[in-house]
Amino acid sequence: MIPQTDTSTQAPLRDPAKVMRLARLGSFHQSRLSFMRILTRRMTRENWTFTRPVFDIDASGVGHAVFCAHTPNRTYSLVAFAHDLPADKRSDRVIAEAWDSTFTLFDGVPTSDDIERLRQNIPLQEAGRVTEKELSVSRANRSVRLWEHVVSRLAAGQQPDAAEITKVGYLMRTTAVYGSGKLGAADREMIASRPEFSAPFQAEMLSVFLIRTYVRDLAQHMAQARGGDATATLDPALARSMGIGNSTGLGMAPFLLNHPKLINNWISARETAIARVRGVVVATDSEVAMFRDLLARSLVSADLWHSTHEIQIEKLAVLRVDLKQLQAYVDGLDLSRESPWEHLFTWAEAEVGIDAQECLASLMLEPYGVLVDDLADRMSDTNVVQFRIDGSMNVATLRSILTRAYGWALTTDWQEKENCARAWYVSEEKLEPRLGERFDEPIVPYEQPLAPGRDAAALHAALETWDADAVIAEFLLAHPEHRHTVRRAQIVDQAPYAEIQDNTIGSDLMPIDMLRCKLSFFGATHFDPRSDRWVRICLFGNAPYPEDLQSETGDDWPYPTLALAPT
Amino acid sequence: MSYSLNEIEALSKRATRGAGLSWGIAEETGKATRWLASHDLPGVSLLVDVLRQNDAVARPDIAPQSLDGVWQATSGTLCPLVSGAALNDCAGRLSAGHSVEMANVSHPLLVVPFAAWAAIHIKAPVAVTWLDITIETDGFGLSVDDPKVQINQTSPVTLICTSALQKSNALSAPSHRGNANQAAWQALNAFALRTYAPATEESRILGAGAGTSDND
């Protein structure tokens, strides 16, 4: 089903069968609708202020600090605990048990009793317990090489080397940012009615924004402890170029599958934005100038993007060539022509790869905040009863939904080993989500329902012997094993971008595609896979720090300036 | 102990799956326990009890034999989770003025959240009655008339669900937090544990696809 357009000047939305393929989802780029940018726009618009009431960390780097964000109506406080972590304990895995720093975002200003309670729990992460006063729980580890470089240079009275910074991009990387009720924290529903948290993942993004400031301050503090009076102050431009890293494993992949309506809302918002911009009849000179500037800066960003992973190296090589080709085409193109973006996008679909197409799609939105930023309000899932199954639907209707939304799956041979080679499961070891080999490991009894395509095909087959007029309630009474699939099919019928239209258990599955899709909506850049199921990224790279927010005139911080181009 | 509603939902879902019910029923059971907890009702304890009772019982024995007439199991008692899900599937019957009657359903309070979602669907409050207790809900709020304290009933009863006229007395609103006693929580964890693959060295190394060192 092609979704209907909702404004008269809008181009048609792209077909979900095209958008929802893993190769494309795994090539998404951040955009104006990314959650970090929704947050920074709000912070600037509402004149949020920031304070650091506590920074009680000793010369060995142990202690705690509090960073407050003051919105027009509330205060949120990042409570950070700094630890002295032995190198042999440093692991980005969920199964780690100690970290360089641990954090929580507190709802309000913590009292000394709160701090003591949090000190007993936050450093333990999953082994601790928090309350509804806490909105997130997270931790971060140092990038050992960049941390040492920056701290030792500053301590010696020198600035760190910009080239070393761009190789890594961050001083610390978070290895989990838990929100929404995890470990006893406040459920999202508790705070979702606050305007600052109405868009998805805003509490988590605020946590990371404040963590970045803490990390910068901690590095300066540690340099000071080592270098004394001779210590240099970190050049603000270098500080700004650093984001916060994040190391992400498989946990994000099930999230995409377990929240079909939410994912639909994210992708539908971005697709609607793309369609609106494609429908622009005439672009003004300033819109065109902004696009050309950010395209040039996107090339810089691609040049600054490092990875040692074979697949990403290849992807990056193609992206760089494609972006150069795109730039050359744009250089020779008169964008004052009628429907310039539709023309350009159609050209790109024929001439460059998926990665560059998606980069262009995000870029085209940049000059059009007025046209697209309102879509941020549609990205949450506020329908709490969407999970209800309509048992009065008849078998014929369900069959037609399956044929329409899962056509690819109905023509897949699920008996072929390569089409079902993998199985998703949860390990009893800290409940870490994992992916295994179905035919080699004893994991089938523990398989999670994360293969919607296979399950849809099984449902379709089971329906074959049922009368077209029979109602689904009767069918489900006889076949409860298809219940979760019927629910998905009914959701997809209402939410066309809800389902990944690809095999999530095939031998050629690249889970990092699913990770990148989700992380691009956070606003992540510089995806750096460590394997097919593990990726490091950069968050808030080049973003303003709290003290910079009010002097920000634009919203283009994810695009590095041309001055940062590698030489 | 106080839990977030998401914790209650997530653990209830895993426990229900661990006890052998389908993923679909487990998903809805998670939401049902969450709904009850938001009204400070003991969904977690009742869930533990029903999962224990029906552990290793063949599902056809605890599901309604048919959705016509009075719902009953082929033998023994109806499972409130399976029956509740079927009730929600058939919500349209309530708006047509029909009631749904279940014979020999255990742990009847666990049916109430499913009736609540049916109420949202038909845009009219519903009443659920067993013994001398009547619970009304519009899907979000709740009113309980329970003169003989039969809300925690576990043994089988006849339950009737009908669409109801909105009572004049106010419905109590849900909260954003839930409570569960430690023993029940541990029991749910024990059921949930059945869904987790045992830790092996191979799984630890390969399953998450992480590198060997993060000291870089």
Side-chain angles (χ1 to χ4, degrees), chain A residues 477-478 480, chain B residues 19-22 50-65 72-80 82-83:
Chain A
L477 197 61
Chain B
L21 285 123
S22 71
V50 77
L51 294 182
R52 278 185 179 144
Q53 174 185 294
N54 293 338
D55 200 13
V57 175
R59 187 191 169 280
D61 293 345
I62 56 171
Q65 203 171 7
Q72 45 201 336
T74 18
S75 61
T77 59
L78 278 175
C79 168
V82 173
S83 310

Side-chain angles (χ1 to χ4, degrees), chain A residues 236-298:
Chain A
L238 289 175
R240 183 146 177 171
S241 72
M242 286 187 275
I244 276 289
N246 176 268
S247 200
T248 295
L250 284 180
M252 275 196 182
F255 181 93
L256 285 188
L257 293 163
N258 286 331
H259 298 84
K261 184 68 195 321
L262 183 65
I263 298 311
N264 171 79
N265 293 356
W266 296 2
I267 293 179
S268 169
R270 181 169 175 272
E271 290 301 316
T272 303
I274 294 166
R276 285 183 183 173
V277 173
R278 288 175 73 174
V280 168
V281 179
V282 179
T284 66
D285 290 348
S286 64
E287 287 160 1
V288 168
M290 181 176 185
F291 173 78
R292 290 184 192 277
D293 173 48
L294 294 181
L295 173 58
R297 288 160 63 183
S298 293

Side-chain angles (χ1 to χ4, degrees), chain A residues 23-328:
Chain A
R24 189 172 292 276
L25 297 174
S27 300
F28 273 16
H29 291 252
Q30 68 82 35
S31 78
R32 295 192 68 88
L33 295 173
S34 300
F35 306 144
M36 288 193 291
R37 297 185 62 190
I38 293 172
L39 176 66
T40 55
R41 281 200 296 273
R42 177 180 291 276
M43 291 192 294
T44 299
R45 190 172 67 238
E46 295 183 347
N47 288 311
W48 289 23
T49 58
F50 297 84
T51 53
R52 195 185 82 176
V54 182
F55 194 88
D56 183 11
I57 295 174
D58 67 20
S60 68
V62 176
H64 83 282
V66 179
F67 291 73
C68 298
H70 307 279
T71 79
N73 298 311
R74 294 174 187 273
T75 295
Y76 299 103
S77 303
L78 180 82
V79 182
F81 295 96
H83 310 290
D84 186 10
L85 181 72
D88 65 342
K89 297 275 186 193
R90 188 171 287 110
S91 165
D92 292 356
R93 292 277 293 274
V94 166
I95 54 176
E97 290 175 340
W99 301 268
D100 281 314
S101 291
T102 53
F103 313 94
T104 185
L105 187 68
F106 184 86
D107 188 4
V109 179
T111 64
S112 53
D113 285 349
D114 288 320
I115 295 287
E116 283 318 302
R117 173 175 61 81
L118 296 170
R119 195 192 302 280
Q120 300 305 315
N121 288 281
I122 297 303
L124 304 176
Q125 296 286 295
E126 293 92 340
R129 189 80 196 148
V130 293
T131 73
E132 65 265 42
K133 291 296 287 177
E134 283 76 53
L135 308 182
S136 76
V137 175
S138 58
R139 65 287 190 103
N141 284 336
R142 292 173 187 170
S143 161
V144 175
R145 53 192 168 136
L146 191 59
W147 181 271
E148 181 51 30
H149 174 78
V150 169
V151 170
S152 61
R153 280 289 184 96
L154 292 177
Q158 300 168 335
Q159 290 299 324
D161 183 353
E164 290 299 311
I165 289 175
T166 61
K167 274 186 205 163
V168 180
Y170 50 80
L171 285 167
M172 278 197 191
R173 56 179 170 264
T174 52
T175 66
V177 182
Y178 294 127
S180 200
K182 282 279 267 186
L183 314 176
D187 281 308
R188 170 168 169 75
E189 290 75 5
M190 202 174 230
I191 56 170
S193 62
R194 302 180 191 178
E196 62 271 26
F197 292 143
S198 64
F201 286 98
Q202 295 297 284
E204 291 86 344
M205 295 300 109
L206 176 59
S207 304
V208 175
F209 180 80
L210 294 171
I211 288 171
R212 175 171 175 252
T213 308
Y214 156 83
V215 170
R216 176 197 62 177
D217 291 3
L218 182 65
Q220 186 70 52
H221 175 78
M222 297 307 290
Q224 200 79 36
R226 203 186 291 184
D229 291 346
T231 307
T233 300
L234 179 61
D235 175 355
L238 289 175
R240 183 146 177 171
S241 72
M242 286 187 275
I244 276 289
N246 176 268
S247 200
T248 295
L250 284 180
M252 275 196 182
F255 181 93
L256 285 188
L257 293 163
N258 286 331
H259 298 84
K261 184 68 195 321
L262 183 65
I263 298 311
N264 171 79
N265 293 356
W266 296 2
I267 293 179
S268 169
R270 181 169 175 272
E271 290 301 316
T272 303
I274 294 166
R276 285 183 183 173
V277 173
R278 288 175 73 174
V280 168
V281 179
V282 179
T284 66
D285 290 348
S286 64
E287 287 160 1
V288 168
M290 181 176 185
F291 173 78
R292 290 184 192 277
D293 173 48
L294 294 181
L295 173 58
R297 288 160 63 183
S298 293
L299 269 78
V300 175
S301 184
D303 285 339
L304 290 170
W305 183 345
H306 297 282
S307 179
T308 53
H309 194 265
E310 194 182 332
I311 292 166
Q312 189 58 37
I313 289 171
E314 171 66 22
K315 265 185 106 163
L316 270 174
V318 173
L319 176 65
R320 287 173 186 141
V321 168
D322 281 354
L323 287 181
K324 284 199 181 78
Q325 194 189 341
L326 173 64
Q327 191 178 38

Side-chain angles (χ1 to χ4, degrees), chain B residues 98-185:
Chain B
H98 302 293
S99 57
V100 170
E101 182 173 342
M102 303 177 191
N104 281 329
V105 61
S106 74
H107 309 83
L109 182 61
L110 288 171
V111 175
V112 172
F114 296 93
W117 302 322
I120 293 171
H121 177 65
I122 67 171
K123 300 185 176 67
V126 301
V128 183
T129 305
W130 64 92
L131 302 176
D132 302 295
I133 178 175
T134 299
I135 295 182
E136 285 195 21
T137 172
D138 61 358
F140 303 100
L142 183 77
S143 93
V144 179
D145 180 13
D146 185 18
K148 297 188 181 169
V149 194
Q150 295 159 330
I151 197 162
N152 293 331
Q153 177 79 18
T154 55
S155 53
V157 292
T158 295
L159 177 148
I160 297 172
C161 181
T162 54
S163 75
L165 295 172
Q166 181 76 58
K167 274 189 171 176
S168 55
N169 55 334
L171 300 177
S172 65
S175 76
H176 286 299
R177 225 42 208 179
N179 286 290
N181 74 51
Q182 287 296 90
W185 195 256

Side-chain angles (χ1 to χ4, degrees), chain A residues 339-379:
Chain A
S339 301
W341 311 116
E342 176 63 24
H343 171 82
L344 185 57
F345 200 71
T346 305
W347 174 87
E349 286 186 310
E351 300 295 333
V352 298
I354 292 174
D355 213 340
Q357 288 174 29
E358 294 307 318
C359 184
L360 172 63
S362 287
L363 262 178
M364 284 179 358
L365 311 185
E366 293 295 346
Y368 293 101
V370 172
L371 203 56
V372 306
D373 285 354
D374 65 296
L375 293 164
D377 298 335
R378 296 192 195 173
M379 296 177 90

